[in-house]
Amino acid sequence: MVPRYSRPEMAAIWAPINRYRIWFEIEALAAEGMAMVGAVPGESAKTIRERGAPMLAAMTDADVAKIDEIESVTRHDVIAFLTWLAEGVGPDSRFVHLGMTSSDVLDTALAVQLTQATDILIADVDAVLAALKKQAFAHKHTLTIGRSHGIHAEPTSFGLKMAGHYAEFARNRARLVAARAEIATCAISGAVGTYAHLDTRVEDYVAEKLGLAAEPVSTQVIPRDRHAAWFSALAVVASGIERLATEVRHLQRSEVREAEEFFHAGQKGSSAMPHKRNPVLSENITGLARVVRAAVVPALENVALWHERDISHSSVERVFAPDASIALDFALQRLAGMMDKLLVYPERMAANIESLGGVVHSGEVLLALARSGISREDAYRIVQKNAMATWTRLGMAEGRSFRENLDADPEVAGRVPAEVLDAAMDARMHLKALDALYIRVFGEPGPAA
């Protein structure tokens, strides 16, 4: 992932130094586990730890370059690392990687990296949840127009909009927690996963020390359905980001102007048009969501490896594991800040509700006519006739509001009391279920009106 969209904490997980430190920890733990079952001398395992740990703690880019140089000859990354490590460990290095295969190190290390990345992503989602709850509580009773098909439907609460996104991100958090649990598996099983040269207790020991679970059956590699599920979880989170970003982008449109991204002092919207205030943050994270979702199909295709293993999955994961996690981390952090500082315009929302002459109250008026004794079919015809008369003449000199057209309609006048129509056209009636809905989402009703 390009530096522009990389945060240091997440990028560090995928840096070579972190990867090599995890590799060493796996090898050192495996040696300790083998010593525990009598497969290697205890003093040798101790030496591996005592001599290797300082090497990895002091590792620099020069060491990474040295390993790369060795790999240019061996054409094998794990062997290159083991060769470099052996130079510092000495004769006891013959007990490093004993009975193991490269995938034991690679797959277990990837599991550690993915759990590290997921922990950051979960914290990112928590920040988004905090920002959404803040807006939901601040605007619980802020009336706005609901839209279906992009067209004015009925009034709703802006806070309820935010509560809906909060509920989605709460589900996304649960998805990440589940994905972390699924990916957190360890394989120290040797060639084709038979443990022919290893004791299963070694794997159990390494897994426990790394906070992982032993893979029930690793066919030399950890099955890639786990990884596919992890990438899929990230993609669902990314789609939630895009859904919220799309909402903000629409609300910031010049014709709508109900909410907009915070505009910083000194910020410029356009090189040619000084008046511009563009939704650049939400557009940016919409694009990043596409990057994250791009990993899903390759991850699904990685599931079907040949027999006990091949390496067709490897190049995919070396690209997409860093890119997807780094992109999602950046997008979530940007989303949290954007929603925390979101500018909301209740007066504009109120104006938009009535901008169509009151026709957005047609649904409740329909019910009011039906309750007054008019058949539903006739009530629908009467309401639609008056709504269309209002809609098609908006802004014209002869145009009348929806209420004026209803009052002039002989099928309504005298049959439906004025106070009934007043109540039907009061936008606040759409807020009556808010307390119950907030309790469902937040476990509390939130602020009173």
Side-chain angles (χ1 to χ4, degrees), residues 62 69 73 111 113-114 121 131 136 142 148 155 188 201 239 241 249 280 290-291 336 338 357 361 381 418:
E69 181 182 343
V73 177
Q113 290 174 295
L114 292 176
L121 295 175
T142 299
S148 57
I188 308 292
R201 290 175 293 174
S239 292
I241 290 173
R249 291 169 66 189
V280 292
R290 296 169 185 168
V291 172
M338 184 180 83
H361 304 295
R381 174 183 54 78

Side-chain angles (χ1 to χ4, degrees), residues 115-432:
T115 56
Q116 291 175 343
T118 310
D119 287 339
I120 293 176
L121 295 175
I122 291 170
D124 292 341
V125 171
D126 286 339
V128 172
L129 288 169
L132 289 171
K133 183 175 181 178
K134 170 187 169 181
Q135 296 293 356
F137 276 47
H139 294 286
K140 177 183 176 184
H141 302 282
T142 299
L143 282 162
T144 189
I145 190 64
R147 297 172 173 90
S148 57
H149 306 278
I151 306 301
H152 286 202
E154 290 189 350
T156 184
S157 153
F158 186 73
L160 187 60
K161 277 179 178 274
M162 296 297 100
H165 288 284
Y166 180 98
E168 180 176 357
F169 275 95
R171 295 191 296 274
N172 283 332
R173 189 187 194 283
R175 291 180 179 110
L176 289 175
V177 170
R180 186 194 190 284
E182 181 157 14
I183 204 65
T185 59
C186 167
I188 308 292
S189 57
V192 300
T194 64
Y195 304 89
H197 314 293
L198 291 161
D199 191 304
T200 58
R201 290 175 293 174
V202 174
E203 182 180 64
D204 291 335
Y205 176 80
V206 175
E208 181 183 2
K209 293 297 183 180
L210 292 176
L212 305 175
E215 179 62 43
V217 178
S218 57
T219 63
Q220 192 165 323
V221 295
I222 292 174
R224 258 45 197 180
D225 61 294
R226 295 184 181 277
H227 303 73
W230 187 83
F231 281 108
S232 296
L234 266 61
V236 175
V237 177
S239 292
I241 290 173
E242 184 171 357
R243 187 171 84 90
L244 180 51
T246 299
E247 179 75 17
V248 173
R249 291 169 66 189
H250 173 76
L251 296 180
Q252 189 162 336
R253 289 175 56 213
S254 302
E255 297 85 356
V256 181
R257 291 190 298 118
E258 293 181 359
E260 67 174 340
E261 298 172 7
F262 183 81
F263 200 77
H264 294 268
Q267 183 175 342
K268 304 293 187 290
S270 167
S271 62
M273 297 167 284
H275 73 278
K276 294 297 291 297
R277 293 165 67 104
N278 301 327
V280 292
L281 301 180
S282 48
E283 290 174 343
N284 170 250
I285 60 180
T286 293
L288 290 175
R290 296 169 185 168
V291 172
V292 176
R293 288 196 299 270
V296 173
V297 170
L300 291 170
E301 292 174 341
N302 278 353
V303 175
L305 301 180
W306 283 25
H307 305 299
E308 278 60 54
R309 73 158 297 194
D310 64 49
I311 64 165
S312 61
H313 63 286
S314 177
S315 54
V316 172
E317 291 164 0
R318 288 174 191 251
V319 172
F320 276 117
D323 281 3
S325 57
I326 289 172
L328 188 61
D329 171 51
F330 187 91
L332 284 167
Q333 281 292 311
R334 174 155 285 186
L335 179 66
M338 184 180 83
M339 297 311 298
D340 183 68
K341 296 181 178 179
L342 187 71
L343 302 176
V344 181
Y345 303 119
E347 296 81 6
R348 180 66 184 179
M349 291 177 179
N352 281 343
I353 289 174
E354 298 303 330
S355 63
L356 298 184
V359 298
V360 296
H361 304 295
S362 69
E364 186 63 20
V365 172
L366 167 63
L367 297 177
L369 266 61
R371 294 189 192 105
S372 71
I374 301 173
S375 71
R376 193 184 190 283
E377 292 74 15
D378 285 342
Y380 193 101
R381 174 183 54 78
I382 293 166
V383 173
Q384 185 181 44
K385 176 185 64 175
N386 287 287
M388 293 304 104
T390 304
W391 185 294
T392 56
R393 292 174 177 79
L394 284 171
M396 299 181 183
E398 70 276 16
R400 295 189 296 187
S401 71
F402 182 46
R403 179 58 183 274
E404 289 171 334
N405 281 321
L406 287 171
D407 288 341
D409 190 329
E411 292 189 279
V412 177
R415 300 183 68 180
V416 182
E419 60 270 19
V420 172
L421 289 179
D422 290 341
M425 301 185 72
D426 185 348
R428 291 171 298 177
M429 62 85 55
H430 294 276
L431 306 181
K432 62 185 180 182

Side-chain angles (χ1 to χ4, degrees), residues 60-73:
T60 66
D61 290 339
D63 296 303
V64 173
K66 176 63 175 176
I67 296 171
D68 289 343
E69 181 182 343
I70 298 171
E71 186 182 351
S72 69
V73 177

Side-chain angles (χ1 to χ4, degrees), residues 24-46 48-49 95-98 100 186 188 197-209:
F24 169 75
E25 186 62 20
I26 293 167
E27 297 285 8
L29 287 172
E32 292 167 2
M34 291 180 207
M36 180 182 66
V37 300
V40 305
E43 283 301 312
S44 296
K46 182 178 179 182
I48 292 168
R49 170 74 67 182
F95 297 114
V96 175
H97 205 72
L98 196 68
M100 295 168 59
C186 167
I188 308 292
H197 314 293
L198 291 161
D199 191 304
T200 58
R201 290 175 293 174
V202 174
E203 182 180 64
D204 291 335
Y205 176 80
V206 175
E208 181 183 2
K209 293 297 183 180

Side-chain angles (χ1 to χ4, degrees), residues 49-116:
R49 170 74 67 182
E50 290 180 347
R51 293 187 178 179
M55 292 176 63
L56 274 296
M59 194 176 203
T60 66
D61 290 339
D63 296 303
V64 173
K66 176 63 175 176
I67 296 171
D68 289 343
E69 181 182 343
I70 298 171
E71 186 182 351
S72 69
V73 177
T74 64
R75 305 290 177 173
H76 196 291
D77 53 356
V78 174
I79 292 175
F81 171 73
L82 295 174
T83 301
W84 172 84
L85 181 64
E87 293 177 1
V89 171
D92 283 313
S93 64
R94 68 186 186 277
F95 297 114
V96 175
H97 205 72
L98 196 68
M100 295 168 59
T101 187
S102 299
S103 292
D104 292 334
V105 179
L106 294 171
D107 278 12
T108 302
L110 179 58
V112 173
Q113 290 174 295
L114 292 176
T115 56
Q116 291 175 343

